[in-house]
């Protein structure tokens, strides 16, 4: 409010009794002999209070729109309740190489914990030649590993990206990384210099891994020592599309 020039402003200490009664300084002829005072500015604490109210409202709105980062990862319905091996059917890889051996190469592992669930399974494939009786010959054996980890408390996305070039046996320099589109939230294939491949997929709090490796060995029934090197089993790239197909099948079977 703007006061007329020369008008008197009565501040709080000058109020005596009821509103409208004159103070100790009498008004003579309608004029107050005391010099007029400038209007007092609003008290700073009023501005601080109103600012705090606005800030609190903005903060509350921000919390509502942007929840705290401790939300549980979305598992998209994936669940681990028992042995993983029966869910790893390997129909595509089995058709391209050989059917899987129903006897796990190692004892299956299962961990159920409030923080995460993890299951591992290791299977073997054998070339058709390896099924024949020993006759002093070379054969190629194939090993398949499957691992599924369901993160219940923390988002594994950052770790998933940080380990793009990391395998159990090498880091970065000896590993080729290829992204795989249209599979989960993110997916890539790691290929080591010895030909071993690993397909990794991230979907929400679920991380899937399917690996394929091969090695040649000489089979003899009389102790004969082979001459020369065995067949080259280092190129597994022809089976990459089969691994992707079997990964899709595994993910579908674990979703409930």
């Amino acid at each position: 409010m703007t006061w007329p020039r020369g008008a008197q402003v009565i501040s709080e200490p000058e109020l005596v009794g009821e509103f409208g009664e004159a103070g100790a300084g009498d008004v003579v002829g309608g004029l107050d002999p005391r010099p007029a005072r400038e209007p007092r500015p609003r008290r700073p604490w009023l501005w601080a209070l109103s600012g705090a109210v606005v800030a609190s409202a903005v903060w509350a709105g921000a919390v509502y729109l942007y929840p705290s980062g401790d939300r549980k990862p979305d598992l998209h319905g994936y669940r681990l309740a028992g042995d993983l091996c029966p869910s790893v059917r390997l129909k595509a890889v089995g058709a391209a190489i050989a059917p899987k051996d129903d006897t796990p190469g190692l004892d299956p592992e299962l961990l159920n914990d409030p923080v995460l669930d993890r299951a591992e399974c290791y299977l073997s494939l054998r070339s058709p030649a390896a099924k024949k009786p020993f006759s002093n010959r070379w054969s190629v054996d194939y090993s398949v590993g499957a691992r599924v980890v369901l993160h219940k408390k923390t988002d594994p996305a950052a770790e998933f990206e940080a380990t793009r070039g990391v395998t159990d046996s090498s880091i970065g320099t000896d590993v080729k990384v290829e992204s795989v589109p249209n599979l989960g939230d993110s997916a890539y294939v790691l290929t080591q210099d010895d030909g071993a491949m690993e397909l990794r997929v991230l979907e929400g709090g679920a991380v899937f891994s399917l690996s394929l490796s091969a090695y040649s060995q000489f089979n003899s029934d009389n102790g004969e020592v082979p001459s020369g090197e065995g067949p080259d089993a280092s190129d597994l790239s022809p089976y990459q599309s089969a691994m992707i197909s079997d990964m899709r099948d595994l993910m579908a079977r674990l979703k409930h």
Side-chain angles (χ1 to χ4, degrees), residues 31-74:
L31 296 177
D32 190 338
R34 296 171 299 179
R37 299 181 182 178
E38 294 294 329
R40 285 189 178 182
R42 293 184 63 183
R43 296 186 178 181
W45 67 268
L46 293 175
W47 291 102
L49 178 60
S50 60
V53 172
V54 173
S56 297
V58 172
W59 180 85
V63 171
Y64 179 78
L65 293 175
Y66 305 99
S68 59
D70 60 353
R71 292 181 301 171
K72 295 180 180 180
D74 186 357

Side-chain angles (χ1 to χ4, degrees), residues 116-137:
L116 58 82
D117 292 342
R118 183 181 66 194
E120 296 183 0
C121 176
Y122 298 93
L123 300 163
S124 62
L125 307 173
R126 297 183 68 86
S127 64
K131 299 295 184 181
K132 300 177 181 178
F134 290 130
S135 57
N136 300 327
R137 55 176 171 70

